[in-house]
Amino acid sequence: MPEDAPYAYEVEGLYKHYAGTPEPANADISFRIRQGEFFGLLGSNGAGKTSLVKQMIGLVRPDGGTVRLLGRDVFTHPRFTTVNVGYMPQTAFALNSLTVREAVYFSAHLRGMASRATAKRERDAVLELLGLGHLAGKVARQLSGGERRLLQIAVTLTASPPVLILDEPTNELDPSRRRQVWQLLRDLNQRDGRTIILITHNAIEAEQVIERVGILKAGRLVALGAPAELKASLRSQVHLSITLDDTQPLGLLPDYVHVQSQHRGRVVALVDAADLPHLTKDVNLAQFPEFTMHTATLEDVYVSYA
Amino acid sequence: MSATRDEKLGLGLASQVWDLFHIQLTNWRWSWPQMVLTGMLAPLVSIAALGLFARNSGHGATEYVLTGSVTMAILFETQNKIASNFAFMRGNGAFEYYAALPVRREALILATLGAFSLLSLPAVAVTLLLGSALLDVPLSFSPLAPVALVLALLPSAGLGAFIGSRSATIEQASSLSLATTLLMMAAGPVAVPPELLPDALTWIGHANPAVYASDSLRHSLTSPSPTSALSDMAVLAAFSLAVWVLTSTRMHWRARYGRRAAGQDQRAHLTEGRHT
């Protein structure tokens, strides 16, 4: 993504407080996403991600602030927003009684592929892209959870909207399908220049594709930046994972190893980077059945803010 | 970068309605026979029960029972089922799905009303034909009958859409709609002639679209009277319009700003244009 690319989204001072709730769903949220960027939105349940996204696509009106998509206010240009954003919610698939073929066709047509022949061509291309061709005649509700998720992605991709907002796209997918989806999203971003906004809990997988991330906590944007920048803030700590055998007590580990969790001999701990040289001197690490060490991941960043 | 799409892209209202109408019909492709059967049950029970008493009250009373039962079939098949369907769509994310597409809420309402009105026709026809035979009421179709039928369907279909789109759950929509159906059947001369009802109920019936639906069907199907049928149809058209305005403005859809906000946004654009 070129650094001087125009903005896909400009969110300024967004505030939303639902009646009857003690805390605002979103408070003072401001950020910008450039066209062609792969942006991740992380946050625990109830952090305000869905509320934010619904305002970004104009489904929910904010109590304060503005949202601009490709330079236009989403609330005063609803049609422009719907034509330019493909949104995949995390909720159940709305077209469950249609066959895969019908669901993709109607979505393509309703998204503005005016001629039925064009919509049919688009349907066939998208089914091919997602490897759903063999399921074309099957009713959506009869699909497995993972197949239905792929169908939701297919429906979202129809008519090639330049901005995609995907809420947990790899939920319920098996590992090979997950890889397929990440590769597809990478291609759509890099080859076609699509702006992709990914809402996910799966920070480890997301880290492989996103360029920048925003972390929400209690309705506020608590971190924003490239994964490497955010990880740098935790770089002073090293993560250890050690498996102890039955004869090895936890006391083998020096005091400066801060144990985070322990279950059936498997210990997860943090060590200050400065103490690392001491650790290799004080403990014979080769005595443990398993020992791994790594610097902070995006998931560690996410957990540190959660 | 992927190209921005022109907001003029997207289907016209008629094409949106046609697609959504297809989707609604497709949803019922396997279960419509059960839907027809359940829609006929209450009206046929009403014909059997009220018919026993109406026979002793003369031909006019049996006509009321017949057209009242057809009105009941309409209420069950359109109002109740549309209310449940809208509540279901709201609950399963279909509203959100459609609202995130370049689709107008009016298209979804029209398509749903159209599909359920079409699906109600078998139950209405069977109730009419079977009721006519059971009650010995001859049918004499007037050219106004199809229009009367459509206008009889519209207010209850619209009311169902309003109840369903505003209800929090499908259970709430079903019970609210059923209560409304029963009230509409009881409040006024729908299936019982006015002379057999207390004056208060007959008076209340002036505000009940089911009374005009039953009347317009009677005036176009059993005792043709074009003038009376037309005046009933005019009232039904007014009810339809009122319910349409209520539903299309009150249904949850995309967030919208008023003209003032839109004007401010336009001014902001112009200012930006000058700066660049």
Side-chain angles (χ1 to χ4, degrees):
Chain A
M1 175 208 59
E3 283 187 6
D4 58 347
Y7 291 113
Y9 263 111
E10 295 161 89
V11 176
E12 297 293 340
L14 208 66
Y15 183 86
K16 178 71 195 173
H17 195 162
Y18 293 104
T21 56
E23 298 295 328
N26 293 130
D28 196 26
I29 292 184
S30 300
F31 63 94
R32 291 171 176 191
I33 300 172
R34 289 200 184 273
Q35 288 183 40
E37 190 173 352
F38 206 133
F39 186 85
L41 201 52
L42 302 183
S44 54
N45 293 330
K49 302 186 298 287
T50 303
S51 191
L52 172 60
V53 164
K54 283 186 179 177
Q55 291 168 91
M56 287 171 70
I57 55 173
L59 291 182
V60 169
R61 184 178 171 164
D63 297 323
T66 56
V67 182
R68 293 171 84 82
L69 167 73
L70 301 163
R72 298 191 205 186
D73 187 290
V74 298
F75 301 100
T76 49
H77 297 87
R79 197 173 176 91
F80 179 79
T81 307
T82 52
V83 162
N84 282 288
V85 179
Y87 169 55
M88 186 182 90
Q90 207 190 345
T91 50
F93 187 49
L95 304 177
N96 256 337
S97 299
L98 303 188
T99 63
V100 169
R101 184 183 290 119
E102 288 164 346
V104 179
Y105 165 74
F106 280 120
S107 297
H109 199 236
L110 284 170
R111 271 184 192 283
M113 308 216 78
S115 100
R116 292 183 187 275
T118 319
K120 281 181 180 166
R121 276 199 299 277
E122 173 77 353
R123 171 198 69 195
D124 295 341
V126 170
L127 290 180
E128 168 88 28
L129 188 68
L130 270 296
L132 289 170
H134 65 292
L135 298 170
K138 217 169 168 183
V139 177
R141 81 161 82 84
Q142 294 169 344
L143 300 175
S144 69
E147 288 168 340
R148 208 175 302 133
R149 205 70 191 143
L150 285 180
L151 174 57
Q152 275 185 284
I153 295 172
V155 158
T156 310
L157 295 184
T158 56
S160 306
V163 179
L164 295 171
I165 300 182
L166 309 167
D167 197 344
E168 298 287 3
T170 55
N171 257 12
E172 297 186 80
L173 295 182
D174 60 49
S176 68
R177 295 277 204 182
R178 275 213 292 272
R179 278 188 198 176
Q180 178 199 351
V181 169
W182 290 125
Q183 188 54 50
L184 171 68
L185 296 180
R186 210 178 276 129
D187 288 349
L188 290 171
N189 175 248
Q190 290 174 2
R191 191 190 57 213
D192 300 351
R194 306 256 202 121
T195 308
I196 299 182
I197 299 166
L198 184 73
I199 301 126
T200 185
H201 291 294
N202 197 335
I204 292 176
E205 285 187 8
E207 190 175 357
Q208 298 167 27
V209 289
I210 57 179
E211 293 167 81
R212 257 184 348 127
V213 63
I215 300 178
L216 282 175
K217 183 186 178 185
R220 290 174 189 278
L221 192 64
V222 292
L224 180 69
E229 289 167 11
L230 297 179
K231 285 189 289 185
S233 63
L234 296 182
R235 198 159 279 164
S236 63
Q237 290 185 316
V238 175
H239 294 244
L240 302 181
S241 175
I242 302 165
T243 304
L244 304 171
D245 70 25
D246 295 343
T247 62
Q248 292 170 327
L250 196 61
L252 272 176
L253 300 174
D255 290 346
Y256 53 81
V257 174
H258 307 292
V259 175
Q260 303 289 299
S261 67
Q262 184 192 3
H263 180 66
R264 294 189 176 180
R266 191 174 173 85
V267 178
V268 175
L270 289 174
V271 180
D272 280 349
D275 288 324
L276 213 52
H278 307 298
L279 180 67
T280 50
K281 281 183 195 160
D282 297 344
V283 184
N284 173 18
L285 296 171
Q287 69 181 304
F288 301 120
E290 255 185 83
F291 174 83
T292 57
M293 188 162 50
H294 65 85
T295 51
T297 61
L298 186 57
E299 186 170 70
D300 298 322
V301 175
Y302 169 42
V303 170
S304 76
Y305 282 106
Chain B
M1 273 176 293
S2 190
T4 302
R5 302 181 79 219
D6 191 322
E7 68 183 313
K8 290 188 186 109
L9 281 172
L11 302 179
L13 182 67
S15 297
Q16 289 176 27
V17 173
W18 185 243
D19 270 9
L20 295 168
F21 175 73
H22 268 234
I23 292 174
Q24 288 289 4
L25 284 184
T26 310
N27 285 337
W28 293 92
R29 69 188 128 192
W30 295 288
S31 49
W32 70 266
Q34 293 95 303
M35 192 177 164
V36 171
L37 278 175
T38 53
M40 280 166 19
L41 205 61
L44 288 178
V45 169
S46 148
I47 285 174
L50 290 175
L52 286 174
F53 301 99
R55 277 178 203 283
N56 301 326
S57 305
H59 182 70
T62 51
E63 279 186 19
Y64 265 92
V65 171
L66 177 61
T67 54
S69 300
V70 171
T71 305
M72 185 190 272
I74 288 171
L75 289 173
F76 271 97
E77 283 298 278
T78 55
Q79 184 170 298
N80 291 3
K81 283 173 180 159
I82 288 175
S84 300
N85 186 259
F86 266 79
F88 176 72
M89 284 200 286
R90 200 178 159 190
N92 82 341
F95 269 18
E96 226 173 78
Y97 168 75
Y98 291 123
L101 296 178
V103 166
R104 288 171 59 177
R105 85 178 85 189
E106 291 83 358
L108 182 63
I109 299 171
L110 279 174
T112 310
L113 301 194
F116 278 86
S117 298
L118 186 67
L119 288 165
S120 74
L121 290 182
V124 169
V126 172
T127 305
L128 184 66
L129 296 173
L130 216 58
S132 156
L134 287 172
L135 295 169
D136 200 19
V137 176
L139 296 175
S140 44
F141 289 97
S142 120
L144 289 174
V147 188
L149 184 60
V150 170
L151 283 169
L153 285 163
L154 283 180
S156 56
L159 202 55
F162 178 70
I163 293 170
S165 67
R166 300 294 298 178
S167 298
T169 62
I170 191 166
E171 292 80 9
Q172 189 187 39
S174 302
S175 45
L176 257 176
S177 177
L178 185 61
T180 313
T181 296
L182 295 176
L183 270 175
M184 286 169 77
M185 285 305 295
V190 180
V192 177
E195 54 272 19
L196 298 178
L197 288 175
D199 287 347
L201 276 184
T202 310
W203 187 79
I204 291 170
H206 289 298
N208 180 1
V211 169
Y212 297 94
S214 177
D215 274 356
S216 72
L217 292 172
R218 202 167 45 257
H219 292 140
S220 59
L221 284 169
T222 57
S223 313
S225 161
T227 319
S228 307
L230 282 171
S231 83
D232 292 327
M233 285 155 62
V235 178
L236 285 172
F239 271 118
S240 305
L241 187 68
V243 175
W244 169 260
V245 170
L246 192 68
T247 309
S248 60
T249 53
R250 302 297 298 166
M251 188 173 124
H252 291 294
W253 199 244
R254 300 181 60 79
R256 285 198 286 203
Y257 278 165
R259 281 183 189 168
R260 206 174 138 199
Q264 282 167 354
D265 186 61
Q266 270 186 342
R267 282 194 293 278
H269 265 285
L270 290 173
T271 316
E272 279 168 22
R274 273 186 227 119
H275 286 307
T276 53

